[in-house]
Amino acid sequence: MRRRSLAVTSILVVSVIGTGLSSVTLPAVAAPADDPPSRVLIIVLDHMRPDFVERFDMHNVRALMRHGVNYRRAILGHMAATTVVSHNVITSGRFPKNMGWTNEVFRDVDDVLGQGAGAYHVTSSLGCGDFGALIEAEGYPKLEDYLDPEGDAKFVAIGNKTTAACPAGMPATQGVDNDIIVRMGSSATLDCDEDGTDESWRGPAGVNVPAYLSEVCGRFYVPTSNDFGTATTSPAWMYPLDGARYSVGTDPEHLGGDVWAADAAVKVMRRDSDWDGMLVSMPSIDKMAHMWGTDDEGPSGVGDDVYAFAHLPKAARIADRQVGKLVGELEAQGIDDETLVILTADHGGQTARRYHGEDGPDRGNYNWYYGQDADETYLDPSRPIQRLVNALDGNVDFSYQDGHIAVWLNDRSPDRKREAALALAELPSVLATYTRTGDGYRLRWNDGLAKASRGERGWWRAYAQRLIDTMAAPNGPDAVALLRDWVSYGVEGDHGGHQRPVQRIPIVFSWPGLDAGAEPRVRMRSVDILPTVLELMGIDPTAPLDGRARDLPLAP
């Protein structure tokens, strides 16, 4: 097993986001044992908030926090706060504005994807090769590029969502010859359960998917025909389940959701034991939170609610068991002492106590998007967004709205951007509006603070400008509205914005060489995860990083 020694680090002076102080002196990262970890396992619980740990009795997550280094003041630290952005932030140490895409939608200003300069792309339509092209165009190294000085590290990214596994797993500098990326592929009509009826099934797809995972109709094929009552029940019907894609489902031989992701990871650990790094992304908490926006356990259909897994409390407990499964596998293989385990989330989320979308079947995408991208059209917006489109008289080229509102314009002159910011200010629940100027955003209006709570005002003053500036790039939105807490324009539970419930996430590092139970007071962010890993493993960055190596106390 490859090992690296780690030099003693001197006192660090770093700025701490949101403290009101320009800098703070932190203790040095203590010198490790001569044998630092040689593997990294990152577990991402999609949409996970720290308060879920106690609310849903997630005892495996709680144990990891208790026995690891738990950053209780951790925040996501960037916008947009979404899956497709954050998985790449975690493995690159770069802010969205330096990644190649900044949001669920982006403008391909350099025609990297070949649909014409300025073409729009909704990231859920992209494949692994597209994300690889965007990363390669920017030319920055990823975690998998650092893990082996010989350049042949094996990195494994597993996630049900393409927008999780592919951004996390695509490297930039060494190609993907030795890497494995596993996601759920497109649906196919099959009779995998041999009941005489053809149904919709999804199997593994991605890059270098091992044969032991991809057997047609094998363990990792899941049925996706049943919506478990969510397609006919408000508010879940805006973004309903499609079988066992993001939920576990009812077929014990073909369980989906978080069980699918964890089982695939365990299989890889056992069959490809020479892996150096692995990221496992679990989607079920996110799906249930988006559908219901609450922890209410029912109903999800007509009559007795037999689908507890289609609700947040059960999904959280299932996710917790998968965390225990992954950590237990490391122990069973005797590699826990050489593996740094990181548990985190790609964003938090908030219930739409103030909801400004349209509640109806399959309304999710039309609430989230307005415009036309390379292959799809979304021209049936909610009433507030239609008012915005009308007010700007054809100048809205594209918009995306969830816990924030992002607008791309046809005419991006200063006057028209200012006009857009003022039009955004007229929409409900808007706190402040901004326009992009170079590599930052300029505040244009913040009269919404007058109606905000004291907590909302304090959080906005501490974080809003820093967070919104992280997506200031030519591919990003030209005008942005930040919204009050507990607001959504997309579905009943949402993400994306600067708000405290969206930004607060868990970040935990666990390894026997760390000071178990330590809770550093530093404000750890997702962008800091990669440089902190490199510091611990004694690896020098070969390119600029937006994140900083944080205090990671070692065992005495």
Side-chain angles (χ1 to χ4, degrees), residues 79 388 392 404-407 416-437 440-449 460 464-465 468-469 471 477-484 489 498:
M79 286 180 64
L388 175 70
L392 295 181
H404 74 307
I405 304 173
V407 180
R416 296 308 300 273
K417 286 195 288 187
R418 188 182 307 110
E419 177 189 36
L422 295 177
L424 284 166
E426 297 296 319
L427 301 186
S429 300
V430 172
L431 198 65
T433 66
Y434 301 77
T435 58
R436 186 173 62 83
T437 304
Y441 280 90
R442 179 180 176 183
L443 176 64
R444 293 292 186 177
W445 180 91
N446 65 350
D447 290 359
L449 290 171
W460 177 84
Q465 189 67 57
I468 194 172
D469 281 347
M471 64 175 183
D478 302 303
V480 177
L482 298 186
L483 306 176
R484 295 188 62 187
Y489 276 68
H498 82 291

Side-chain angles (χ1 to χ4, degrees), residues 208-251:
N208 298 330
V209 179
Y212 55 78
L213 295 181
S214 58
E215 177 190 358
V216 175
C217 286
R219 156 67 188 97
F220 296 101
Y221 271 70
V222 300
T224 55
S225 296
N226 196 339
D227 59 50
F228 303 111
T230 60
T232 55
T233 307
S234 174
W237 60 8
M238 288 185 280
Y239 188 46
L241 289 175
D242 50 349
R245 186 181 183 188
Y246 299 136
S247 69
V248 294
T250 56
D251 187 337

Side-chain angles (χ1 to χ4, degrees), residues 364-424:
N365 284 342
Y366 294 100
N367 287 332
W368 275 318
Y369 310 117
Y370 173 82
Q372 183 170 347
D373 72 357
D375 59 358
E376 294 158 322
T377 300
Y378 307 94
L379 298 177
D380 186 17
S382 62
R383 280 170 288 184
I385 300 305
Q386 186 64 61
R387 291 204 307 270
L388 175 70
V389 171
N390 294 343
L392 295 181
D393 193 23
N395 200 33
V396 176
D397 215 6
F398 217 107
S399 75
Y400 172 76
Q401 44 278 328
D402 51 7
H404 74 307
I405 304 173
V407 180
W408 290 258
L409 301 173
N410 285 301
D411 182 346
R412 297 185 288 277
S413 64
D415 286 346
R416 296 308 300 273
K417 286 195 288 187
R418 188 182 307 110
E419 177 189 36
L422 295 177
L424 284 166

Side-chain angles (χ1 to χ4, degrees), residues 126-129 157-166 180-186 202-207 209 213 220 245 260:
L126 301 183
C128 282
I158 297 173
N160 309 53
K161 298 179 181 179
T162 300
T163 51
C166 295
I180 295 172
I181 301 175
V182 183
R183 61 178 179 85
M184 279 199 179
S186 301
R202 288 180 183 265
V207 178
V209 179
L213 295 181
F220 296 101
R245 186 181 183 188
W260 184 91

Side-chain angles (χ1 to χ4, degrees), residues 416-532:
R416 296 308 300 273
K417 286 195 288 187
R418 188 182 307 110
E419 177 189 36
L422 295 177
L424 284 166
E426 297 296 319
L427 301 186
S429 300
V430 172
L431 198 65
T433 66
Y434 301 77
T435 58
R436 186 173 62 83
T437 304
D439 61 354
Y441 280 90
R442 179 180 176 183
L443 176 64
R444 293 292 186 177
W445 180 91
N446 65 350
D447 290 359
L449 290 171
K451 297 181 180 179
S453 68
R454 182 177 179 181
E456 288 172 319
R457 289 194 298 269
W459 186 267
W460 177 84
R461 291 189 182 104
Y463 293 101
Q465 189 67 57
R466 305 175 196 219
L467 293 170
I468 194 172
D469 281 347
T470 64
M471 64 175 183
N475 64 65
D478 302 303
V480 177
L482 298 186
L483 306 176
R484 295 188 62 187
D485 290 356
W486 311 111
V487 171
S488 172
Y489 276 68
V491 290
E492 189 66 21
D494 233 328
H495 50 21
H498 82 291
Q499 302 95 330
R500 186 196 301 264
V502 173
Q503 288 288 324
R504 287 283 287 113
I505 61 168
I507 299 181
V508 182
F509 291 78
S510 181
W511 173 59
L514 298 178
D515 186 9
E519 294 185 345
R521 292 189 56 78
V522 65
R523 185 68 88 181
M524 170 71 82
R525 306 162 298 171
S526 293
V527 75
D528 301 324
I529 291 174
L530 175 66
T532 301

Side-chain angles (χ1 to χ4, degrees), residues 3 28 111 124 126 179 208 212 257 264 268 307 337 357-358 390 432 440 442 444 486 489 499 539 542 546:
R3 306 284 186 175
D111 193 21
S124 59
L126 301 183
D179 292 336
N208 298 330
Y212 55 78
V268 174
Y307 303 121
D337 64 335
E358 303 289 340
N390 294 343
R442 179 180 176 183
R444 293 292 186 177
W486 311 111
Y489 276 68
Q499 302 95 330
I539 302 172
T542 58
D546 293 319

Side-chain angles (χ1 to χ4, degrees), residues 185-192 198-203 216-217 221-225:
S186 301
S187 60
T189 302
L190 299 165
D191 182 18
C192 290
D198 288 342
E199 298 175 293
S200 174
W201 290 74
R202 288 180 183 265
V216 175
C217 286
Y221 271 70
V222 300
T224 55
S225 296

